[in-house]
Amino acid sequence: EETPYFWDVHFSGESIAEAIFSQCHNLVMAAEFGLRQPEYSEDELAQFILDGSRYVNVELNTKEGILRASNLGLAQNRLADVIISPYLHNIASQVFTTSDPGRLFALFRHPVDRALGMYHYLSKASWDPMFSPEVKKLTIEEFARSGYIENNWMTRFLVGKPKGKLTHSDMLLAKKIVKYKILVGLYDELETSMSRFQRYFGWKDAKKTRADTAKCRSKAISRGDKNVLGHPTSIKDREAFAS
């Protein structure tokens, strides 16, 4: 049996997806909040509830956290209904095995829109270690030319090449991985994409009818991501970024 693995592509609707996983499908998530478990134990896996959502006590936004999850047998223990992390290769090589495989899926967004989402987020997210007051002083054009901008993040994470020059072969490999290994959803078609994920994985909440689930999903999408609300991507922003 395959465990769904949601590749966390930042600023591509991941917070909305996680809300839908929890609120609409009642899934147990293995993500980034494991250290917030009351009476957290380093030596054993367990489920806990945080703000009404169910989690496994792992931290999958760090390589050290992924190694701990691997050593404790996250995939083998079947405590998580969905595993969530940006570190595709670490999860694939350390958490999943041939006897306990994962099934990769993700939401993709136009790269310029992702970059603009990052610009607006970094300029106000004082709670995040990535926050920089300097970004708030930059125009979109200045941000696009600055060192804050990502350097082909998706390609690098897909091919496992965080540093160094990317080649044409890297690009072809990244495209091949997307084509053959990822169940793809689109940020611009979020409702359709999340419905497709549900049908593919067969997620059902016994307490909800199909209509209830669809209504819950639509509500979560309408609510949006609280961290980037108020910053819709505009044609003007796109043109400024590309100039």
Side-chain angles (χ1 to χ4, degrees), residues 17-27 29 52-54 208:
E18 290 174 27
I20 292 172
F21 296 156
S22 172
Q23 298 164 17
C24 306
H25 304 309
N26 196 31
L27 302 181
M29 298 177 285
S53 295
R54 298 191 296 159
K208 287 186 174 68

Side-chain angles (χ1 to χ4, degrees), residues 166-185:
L166 291 172
T167 66
H168 184 69
S169 296
D170 291 326
M171 183 269 289
L172 293 178
L173 176 58
K175 290 175 67 175
K176 188 174 182 179
I177 292 171
V178 171
K179 183 176 182 179
Y180 292 106
K181 296 294 185 179
I182 303 179
L183 176 63
V184 173

Side-chain angles (χ1 to χ4, degrees), residues 14-238:
E14 70 278 13
S15 296
I16 300 172
E18 290 174 27
I20 292 172
F21 296 156
S22 172
Q23 298 164 17
C24 306
H25 304 309
N26 196 31
L27 302 181
V28 179
M29 298 177 285
E32 59 181 305
F33 301 113
L35 301 186
R36 295 171 64 181
Q37 176 196 27
E39 301 179 4
Y40 170 79
S41 172
E42 179 73 22
D43 301 318
E44 64 179 1
L45 296 179
Q47 295 179 358
F48 70 102
I49 296 176
L50 176 67
D51 297 330
S53 295
R54 298 191 296 159
Y55 295 96
V56 179
N57 62 340
V58 291
E59 162 59 278
L60 302 184
N61 264 22
T62 68
K63 294 179 181 180
E64 296 77 15
I66 292 172
L67 182 60
R68 171 181 172 270
S70 172
N71 292 336
L72 293 177
L74 175 61
Q76 293 83 358
N77 285 329
R78 306 286 179 183
L79 288 177
D81 296 313
V82 58
I83 290 174
I84 303 167
S85 174
Y87 289 102
L88 189 156
H89 284 270
N90 297 79
I91 292 290
S93 63
Q94 296 176 23
V95 172
F96 295 120
T97 65
T98 52
S99 56
D100 296 286
R103 172 59 62 183
L104 178 59
F105 69 114
L107 285 170
F108 284 15
R109 188 181 186 187
H110 191 289
V112 171
D113 293 347
R114 279 192 65 246
L116 290 168
M118 183 178 185
Y119 166 75
H120 291 302
Y121 178 79
L122 292 182
S123 66
K124 73 169 188 176
S126 55
W127 60 88
D128 194 306
M130 294 172 61
F131 170 72
S132 172
E134 296 302 315
V135 173
K136 198 169 185 178
K137 302 175 184 177
L138 300 177
T139 64
I140 290 174
E141 295 90 340
E142 290 169 338
F143 176 75
R145 296 190 294 268
S146 74
Y148 295 104
I149 198 72
E150 292 176 336
N151 183 345
N152 294 293
W153 186 94
M154 290 188 69
T155 300
R156 290 186 181 280
F157 271 65
L158 282 168
V159 303
K161 193 174 182 179
K163 297 181 180 179
K165 184 178 180 180
L166 291 172
T167 66
H168 184 69
S169 296
D170 291 326
M171 183 269 289
L172 293 178
L173 176 58
K175 290 175 67 175
K176 188 174 182 179
I177 292 171
V178 171
K179 183 176 182 179
Y180 292 106
K181 296 294 185 179
I182 303 179
L183 176 63
V184 173
L186 301 177
Y187 181 89
D188 289 340
E189 298 178 15
L190 206 47
E191 182 92 40
T192 300
S193 298
M194 295 307 299
S195 176
R196 182 185 184 211
F197 294 154
Q198 178 195 0
R199 292 196 304 274
Y200 183 89
F201 291 112
W203 293 325
K204 293 180 181 179
D205 183 347
K207 297 180 180 180
K208 287 186 174 68
T209 65
R210 183 180 298 180
D212 290 337
T213 299
K215 184 177 180 180
C216 176
R217 183 171 56 238
S218 296
K219 186 176 179 180
I221 292 170
S222 297
R223 222 171 22 239
D225 184 346
K226 64 181 184 298
N227 291 328
V228 294
L229 285 178
H231 299 296
T233 301
S234 68
I235 294 175
K236 182 179 179 181
D237 283 350
R238 287 181 176 179

